[in-house]
Amino acid sequence: MPKLKTNRGAAKRFRATASGFKCRRSFRNHILTKKATKLKRKLRANVQVDESDLKSVSRMLPYATKKAAKRRRHYRAKDKSSQSMTYVVKGVNHAKS
């Protein structure tokens, strides 16, 4: 099967996370003088891509979704291994929680 091309515009706008994709909020580029400080502060934060757009974004970034799936598996395995760890300090068993 041939390699899939990544949409370069989408690669600059979206980042894959373990639970989907994140992107910048809109309305923060220009004409900021009439916008309230509180609104501009809220627009700083990134936001998760909506469920309705998730399919199209994942199609534009085929390898990002594979990396995110790999990352999810890594963190799940890490969580499972850290829950069952025990260690000994001066002869007393301590279970790590």
Side-chain angles (χ1 to χ4, degrees), residues 1-75:
M1 187 169 159
K3 292 182 182 179
L4 299 173
K5 283 197 172 183
T6 298
N7 184 310
R8 298 312 298 162
K12 295 166 189 171
R13 287 171 174 81
F14 302 105
R15 293 283 176 255
T17 63
S19 59
F21 290 93
K22 65 179 181 179
C23 63
R24 280 186 61 195
R25 289 183 183 265
S26 54
F27 306 111
R28 184 82 205 289
N29 287 330
H30 61 97
I31 314 176
L32 298 173
T33 54
K34 64 173 76 171
K35 294 176 183 148
T37 308
K38 186 176 181 181
L39 174 66
K40 291 186 278 190
R41 188 170 54 246
K42 286 184 178 181
L43 292 175
R44 278 183 211 152
N46 289 336
V47 66
Q48 290 278 51
V49 173
D50 193 51
E51 290 287 328
S52 60
D53 299 322
L54 201 56
K55 186 177 178 182
S56 61
V57 172
S58 62
R59 193 181 308 126
M60 288 188 280
L61 303 171
Y63 298 106
T65 54
K66 291 175 185 176
K67 285 182 183 177
K70 186 177 180 181
R71 199 174 303 127
R72 272 194 300 270
R73 285 193 303 269
H74 172 71
Y75 284 121

Side-chain angles (χ1 to χ4, degrees), residues 70-84:
K70 186 177 180 181
R71 199 174 303 127
R72 272 194 300 270
R73 285 193 303 269
H74 172 71
Y75 284 121
R76 280 194 208 123
K78 192 175 179 182
D79 289 341
K80 288 179 184 177
S81 65
S82 66
Q83 289 174 355
S84 62

